[in-house]
Amino acid sequence: MDRSAEFGRWKAQSLSKADLSRKGSVDEDAVEVVELLNSREEFFTTSSCAGRILLLDGSTDGSGVQKQHCCWLLVTHKPCAKDDVMTALKGATSDAVLKFEPFILHVQCRTLQDAQTLHSVAVDFGFRNSGITVGKRGKIMLAVRSTHGLEVPLTHKGKLMVTEEYIEFLLTTANQKMEENKRRIGRFYNCLQHVVKRETISNSHSKGKEKNNSLCTRKNKRNQGKGHDPSTTEDDGRELEGGDGLEISATLFLGDD
């Protein structure tokens, strides 16, 4: 099976699966981006989160990393009010942490060039922690991520360690980050629309050139020995140098898949 067919099989399998996320559906602010990418033959999304404010209750290990199976006291994909957090904190019995997690999107790409194009758009529009992973089976994954998160402990062993005034300050900061996150998603989507349109035109133009090049090849074979027209080589050189492809430098990580 060639790479393109294998990618098509992976995409069909992934998009046919049920959404196993906690919410069970794509977040409203991420729907347009997800649908646009999934409509393209070069991409499909494997997971996404539009951004959220959450309150987790659970012990941490010695490094401060949250352990699994912590309790979700509160989660919202919209701006959050102080009263909601204070009510949720009544259920804290351990180390409660207030977090803002920005937009994250995982996209499997057909080729490395497709991944690099998408990576360039992501970085240019604020998602500077984005990266490309190439798995052992040849799966090319792009993670679209940013760095403007927030994580602050509020309780220890169930006891509130900060004032309500400080919690209100934290929520003001988290809500501002949420609004900026939404703006970044909008700019990212608008740019993707232009890139997709440009790539469609470029691909159509490339197919036309391939057809013309095929005709020229057959003609050249018939005209072998009849002399060489140097203008043909010069034209081809100019077309190569004037290509519209995006060239970027991206860090690649080897994955297990």
Side-chain angles (χ1 to χ4, degrees), residues 37-94:
L37 290 172
N38 287 336
S39 71
R40 298 289 301 177
E41 62 181 16
E42 305 97 327
F43 310 109
F44 66 91
T45 61
T46 60
S47 65
S48 66
C49 178
R52 60 192 180 185
I53 296 172
L54 63 160
L55 186 64
L56 302 177
D57 185 35
S59 60
T60 61
D61 61 23
S63 65
V65 176
Q66 197 82 25
K67 291 183 178 180
Q68 293 182 349
H69 310 302
C70 57
C71 179
W72 293 51
L73 299 177
L74 173 71
V75 58
T76 177
H77 295 82
K78 302 294 183 182
C80 188
K82 185 191 75 171
D83 289 344
D84 294 332
V85 172
M86 298 308 300
T87 299
L89 279 172
K90 293 178 182 179
T93 59
S94 185

Side-chain angles (χ1 to χ4, degrees), residues 170-198:
L170 288 177
L171 287 175
T172 298
T173 302
N175 289 336
Q176 289 173 346
K177 287 178 176 289
M178 179 72 82
E179 292 301 321
E180 171 58 23
N181 179 73
K182 186 174 181 178
R183 288 191 290 269
R184 290 187 186 188
I185 295 174
R187 293 193 295 265
F188 179 54
Y189 172 69
N190 290 335
C191 185
L192 276 181
Q193 287 182 301
H194 292 296
V195 169
V196 165
K197 182 177 180 180
R198 184 178 64 191

Side-chain angles (χ1 to χ4, degrees), residues 119-128:
H119 179 274
S120 180
V121 176
V123 171
D124 286 347
F125 285 86
F127 301 102
R128 302 188 182 280

Side-chain angles (χ1 to χ4, degrees), residues 113 115-121 123-124 132 245-250:
Q113 182 177 354
Q116 289 175 325
T117 299
L118 196 56
H119 179 274
S120 180
V121 176
V123 171
D124 286 347
I132 300 169
L246 292 174
E247 294 185 8
I248 68 166
S249 175

Side-chain angles (χ1 to χ4, degrees), residues 57 89 92-97 153-161:
D57 185 35
L89 279 172
T93 59
S94 185
D95 299 335
V97 178
L154 300 184
T155 70
H156 179 58
K157 296 181 179 180
K159 179 182 178 181
L160 185 63
M161 306 300 291

